[in-house]
Amino acid sequence: MTLVGIGVLLIGMAFIILAIFIGHALNNLAGVLSGIDKTVQQLPKQLDNVFKETGNMISESNNTLVDVNDKLHQLSPLFYIVGDVGNATRKFSSSLVDVTDSVKTKTDDGNDVADSNKLGGLYGSFALGYYWLKKRQEMKKAKGEFTDGNQS
């Protein structure tokens, strides 16, 4: 065999090995494409189920929304009543605040007059003196009844 024959033989063997690898890769590709074909064939059935469930879900959502709206319409008068009660309470409390402020202002004015005239201590002294006087009269009266009771 000559060198050309050996070269042709090596090239032939390389082509056979290359053909075996390419055949194996194509066989794997055919398996993958077969799986894709099965998946694509099942896709319309799965999409039909998905669309059917989506339609049911939208229908239930609409029913729930109608029910919620109906219940809100039924509760609206209650909300108006609560709002009216809140407004009445706010008005009442604001009038109480006004009365309290006016009483506080009058009291502050009286304290200012007493402080400016230095009458606070004087009024306190008169009140204490009056209290002692009344207490002393009660004690004398009680003592007189006690001595009258012993003599009898």
Side-chain angles (χ1 to χ4, degrees):
M1 231 193 242
T2 63
L3 285 179
V4 174
I6 295 176
V8 171
L9 185 64
L10 287 177
I11 290 175
M13 287 172 58
F15 274 131
I16 290 174
I17 293 173
L18 183 65
I20 291 172
F21 283 124
I22 289 176
H24 184 55
L26 288 175
N27 192 19
N28 287 341
L29 181 63
V32 169
L33 290 177
S34 173
I36 291 174
D37 183 45
K38 289 179 184 177
T39 303
V40 169
Q41 286 177 1
Q42 292 175 357
L43 190 61
K45 292 178 185 175
Q46 291 175 351
L47 284 178
D48 286 342
N49 289 337
V50 167
F51 288 142
K52 191 180 296 180
E53 288 298 320
T54 304
N56 290 339
M57 185 175 66
I58 289 172
S59 175
E60 287 298 319
S61 298
N62 286 338
N63 291 338
T64 302
L65 186 61
V66 166
D67 188 42
V68 167
N69 283 335
D70 183 45
K71 289 179 180 176
L72 278 176
H73 287 300
Q74 291 175 0
L75 286 176
S76 291
L78 179 65
F79 291 137
Y80 291 130
I81 290 170
V82 169
D84 291 343
V85 168
N87 286 335
T89 305
R90 182 183 49 81
K91 288 178 184 176
F92 179 69
S93 64
S94 67
S95 66
L96 285 178
V97 167
D98 293 341
V99 168
T100 305
D101 284 343
S102 67
V103 168
K104 181 181 175 189
T105 303
K106 290 177 183 177
T107 304
D108 288 343
D109 290 343
N111 287 340
D112 291 342
V113 169
D115 288 343
S116 66
N117 294 333
K118 305 289 183 197
L119 298 176
L122 185 61
Y123 289 144
S125 298
F126 283 134
L128 184 61
Y130 181 74
Y131 172 74
W132 281 342
L133 180 67
K134 286 293 184 182
K135 201 66 158 160
R136 189 173 177 201
Q137 287 175 354
E138 287 176 13
M139 289 177 78
K140 282 183 181 181
K141 190 176 186 181
K143 190 176 183 182
E145 290 175 4
F146 181 69
T147 55
D148 291 337
N150 285 340
Q151 292 175 355
S152 331

